[in-house]
């Protein structure tokens, strides 16, 4: 008799490398206790470190006041919310999306999961680059698909298009691109995106089966130095754009985002019903009604780009003065410095002993680096620099430069 309580699906998802590493760190390492200890400086996850703004709280409070008897009924997508999201999307990426092709979801998780299941069949392969967002592999496996991983260029943080091309097989159905990238902060340039589009088109023709692109753009509004963000969707019609409001609103626990299909996608009309069907059967992947009602006003709130750019500049300058090698991110609220010693996990432990919490590169399947999250306050950033210096010296790294 088979006495297992859980399915093969669960075992497969739990076996995903980043899922296992994330669980190990979050649940088993003592992190949950450590992060709340007095004097510990936490640079791990993108959680807010300042109280939410009064404007944000007021908008959420107002959205909970019923205006009619169906206020909290099933809501497949509030028309006013979709219109606001579509208008903002057009403005930010310069592509004339139609409201019928913007589907509100419970954040970026649900948007990516839905896209995978829309076009992927069991056993299809999904190619993505390392370092990745933690949960690509888990979402891919849960959808019954096969993850195929390639590395980025570790010097430029750009996509390695040759590696992507080499990874494509007749079973490849989807390529995921995350720009701006978490954790590197890289915005992939137009030349790279044009070559990627040509690569995917050629491979689709060769395979006799279309390869789709999922463009994960959770950070496409957190862009520094006046840089213009160019969406991968602009260059490849057979794309899905996944967006999450949790980053720009600094509220990852309030789940709302969308999955958008560009107007350049040929014969895309059947996808509209397909997306809705997957959202329903996937466990009601629509945002709560109250979040949908709040969305038009939430779209008026501005992310403080100058503040986060100052945070970036202070941290980069401070780390470089100590002797760290760190690339200046073009976007997001992350830094991805090189570890001053080969064992990034050991160096993260050295920082922990100094009261600084970061994520080692091994958690992103990219050893030799570590991630710093700049949702920490400016006071925390400034207080951390002497501790980063102490850990650098204690690890026996080369002298400061």
């Amino acid at each position: 008799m088979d006495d297992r309580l859980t399915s093969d699906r669960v075992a497969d998802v739990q076996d995903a490398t980043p899922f296992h590493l994330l669980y190990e760190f979050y649940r088993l390492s003592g992190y949950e206790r450590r992060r709340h200890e007095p004097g510990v400086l936490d640079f791990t996850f993108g959680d807010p470190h300042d109280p939410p703004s009064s404007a944000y709280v007021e908008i959420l409070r107002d959205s909970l006041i019923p205006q009619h008897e169906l206020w909290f009924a099933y809501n497949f997508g509030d028309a006013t919310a979709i219109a606001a999201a579509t208008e903002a999307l057009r403005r930010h990426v310069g592509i004339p999306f139609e409201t019928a092709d913007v589907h509100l979801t419970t954040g970026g998780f649900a948007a990516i999961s839905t896209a995978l299941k829309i076009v992927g069949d069991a056993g299809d392969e999904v190619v993505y680059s390392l370092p990745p967002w933690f949960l690509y592999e888990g979402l891919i496996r849960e959808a019954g698909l096969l993850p195929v991983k390639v590395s980025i260029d570790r010097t430029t943080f750009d996509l390695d298009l040759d590696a992507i091309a080499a990874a494509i097989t007749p079973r490849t159905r989807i390529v995921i691109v995350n720009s701006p990238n978490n954790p590197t902060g890289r915005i992939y340039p137009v030349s790279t995106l044009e070559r990627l589009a040509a690569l995917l088109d050629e491979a689709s023709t060769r395979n006799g089966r279309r390869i789709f692109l999922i463009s994960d753009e959770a950070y496409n509004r957190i862009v520094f130095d006046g840089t213009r963000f160019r969406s991968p969707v602009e260059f490849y019609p057979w794309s899905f754009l996944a967006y999450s409001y949790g980053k720009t609103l600094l509220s990852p626990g309030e789940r709302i985002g969308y999955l958008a299909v560009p107007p350049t996608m040929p014969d895309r009309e059947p996808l509209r019903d397909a997306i809705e069907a997957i959202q329903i059967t996937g466990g009601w992947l629509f945002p709560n009604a109250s979040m949908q009602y709040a969305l038009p006003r939430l779209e008026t709130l501005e992310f403080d780009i100058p503040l986060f750019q100052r945070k970036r500049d202070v941290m980069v300058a401070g780390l470089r003065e100590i002797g760290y090698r760190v690339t200046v991110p073009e976007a997001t609220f992350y830094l991805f410095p090189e570890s001053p010693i080969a064992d990034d996990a050991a160096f993260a432990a050295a920082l922990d002993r100094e009261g600084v919490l970061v994520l080692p590169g091994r958690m992103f399947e990219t050893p030799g680096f570590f991630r710093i999250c700049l949702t920490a306050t400016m006071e925390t950033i400034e207080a951390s620099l002497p501790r980063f210096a102490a850990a650098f010296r204690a690890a026996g790294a080369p002298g400061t430069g």
Side-chain angles (χ1 to χ4, degrees), residues 148-345:
V148 178
K149 308 171 188 180
V150 301
S151 292
I152 60 167
D153 184 313
R154 290 168 62 99
T155 301
T156 65
F157 289 162
D158 206 355
L159 294 175
D160 187 334
L161 297 180
D162 290 337
I164 292 174
I168 291 176
T169 75
R171 293 299 303 168
T172 302
R173 184 61 163 170
I174 299 165
V175 172
I176 300 177
V177 170
N178 176 208
S179 182
N181 181 263
N182 167 18
T184 68
R186 176 70 164 150
I187 298 175
Y188 299 129
V190 168
S191 59
T192 297
L193 298 179
E194 288 176 336
R195 290 171 56 209
L196 174 65
L199 183 163
L200 296 180
D201 202 30
E202 291 165 5
S204 298
T205 301
R206 183 173 65 251
N207 287 350
R209 185 170 184 248
R210 177 55 56 186
I211 297 173
F212 290 89
L213 176 71
I214 297 177
S215 183
D216 178 4
E217 300 186 15
Y219 301 91
N220 68 14
R221 303 186 192 183
I222 307 176
V223 177
F224 304 129
D225 303 310
T227 302
R228 179 189 172 192
F229 171 75
R230 301 290 290 273
S231 170
V233 172
E234 179 183 344
F235 304 91
Y236 189 68
W238 294 274
S239 298
F240 298 91
L241 189 155
Y243 181 74
S244 170
Y245 286 92
K247 310 304 180 185
T248 48
L249 296 174
L250 294 175
S251 57
E254 295 295 328
R255 307 301 301 163
I256 189 165
Y258 53 73
L259 180 67
V261 181
T264 51
M265 170 89 81
D267 304 317
R268 70 190 182 283
E269 288 76 12
L271 290 176
R272 296 167 182 169
D273 289 340
I275 290 172
E276 186 173 282
I278 292 298
Q279 286 189 267
I280 294 170
T281 59
W284 197 259
L285 303 180
F286 304 93
N288 286 343
S290 58
M291 289 302 296
Q292 297 190 44
Y293 301 140
L295 185 57
R297 289 174 64 191
L298 292 176
E299 278 284 11
T300 68
L301 300 181
E302 293 290 334
F303 185 84
D304 195 342
I305 296 292
L307 171 61
F308 277 78
Q309 186 167 318
R310 288 198 302 276
K311 289 182 179 182
R312 178 202 67 174
D313 292 344
V314 168
M315 184 63 93
V316 168
L319 292 177
R320 284 181 168 176
E321 183 176 356
I322 294 165
Y324 289 90
R325 293 168 60 91
V326 54
T327 299
V328 179
E330 301 160 290
T332 77
F333 39 62
Y334 303 111
L335 301 181
F336 203 51
E338 291 184 29
S339 172
I341 58 175
D343 188 339
D344 54 274

Side-chain angles (χ1 to χ4, degrees), residues 41 48 90 109-110 114 174 209 311 329 347 351 380 385 398:
L41 308 180
R90 292 170 180 162
F109 278 81
T114 298
I174 299 165
R209 185 170 184 248
K311 289 182 179 182
F347 185 68
L351 283 170
T380 296
L385 291 172

